[in-house]
Amino acid sequence: MTEVPAVEARQTGSQRVVSYFKERILRGHLKVGDRVMPERELAQELNVGRPLLREVMKSLVMLGFLDVRQGSGTYIARADIRVLSDFFTFCLSQEQDILEDVMQARMAIECQAIRLACERANEADLSRIGQWLSALIETLGDPEAGGRADFMFHQSIVAASHSRSLTTLYGAMSELLQRSHVQRRATTYRNPNIVRVLVEAHREVFLSIVAKDADQADRRLREHFAIGDDLRRKSLIETYRSGLERKLN
């Protein structure tokens, strides 16, 4: 069998198989549509048994990284973000209090995305963001539909950045983010004053993008996040106090 480097030798067989594809794709040695070498040759190249290689490759097929074509062979596939999103959500859901951490990652992505959107957004992008702003306003009394409209408003801003890296990372968190939007709608959009403040915050964010003012857009978005965070904290305090009063009475 082929001798493998010391670093690879310390890896398990399955790790060597995954690393083989990851490293060669990163280096450009394998691209989407390229045919993978036959199983026997690949097993020798990686110094692993064919049954193990077969099982790991089946997992990579399920994740959308590889494509098996009957009678033709195995090819490098273009990964489907929906599959990666499910995997990412599954991993994060096992962590405690993960939504707060996801929110911090969301802020980092959106603040960079909105700056790029001010430079790169086209008419279709602006129209899409504007449509979701209108939908957001029209669904203030519906936590489910309103939460989705709120999420789509922000997702459309990230899409308007035309950054594949940012949209991929944001997409991987999409299910968790959409759930958080719905939850916040159910708890914070009760007070008319709160509704007015949040609607105005979204409108200011949108107008800043239209004006192509990156600094103002970044500032407005951060203000919007700060407002939302403050409202969430006040809502939790109010819920706790109400629950305590019911118990005492």
Side-chain angles (χ1 to χ4, degrees), residues 188-207:
T188 62
Y189 276 48
R190 297 172 181 170
N191 187 314
N193 291 328
I194 290 176
V195 171
R196 180 181 56 77
V197 170
L198 288 176
V199 167
E200 187 61 27
H202 283 89
R203 183 182 289 113
E204 289 298 323
V205 167
F206 174 58
L207 292 176

Side-chain angles (χ1 to χ4, degrees), residues 88 92 97-111 150-151 154 170 173-174 176-184 221-222 224-230 232-233:
F88 193 72
L92 288 179
D97 302 320
I98 195 61
L99 275 182
E100 183 61 31
D101 191 58
V102 169
M103 284 297 295
Q104 294 300 320
R106 171 205 171 188
M107 292 177 194
I109 292 172
E110 284 194 39
C111 285
D150 201 340
F151 166 75
H154 289 272
Y170 201 80
M173 300 188 296
S174 61
L176 289 171
L177 289 176
Q178 188 160 332
R179 288 189 181 190
S180 73
H181 278 288
V182 172
Q183 289 173 5
R184 289 199 307 277
L221 185 61
R222 290 180 188 276
H224 168 48
F225 286 141
I227 292 169
D229 186 58
D230 184 54
R232 283 195 298 275
R233 293 178 190 278

Side-chain angles (χ1 to χ4, degrees), residues 111-122:
C111 285
Q112 177 58 24
I114 201 168
R115 285 187 165 275
L116 293 175
C118 286
E119 300 174 12
R120 303 175 179 178
N122 54 39

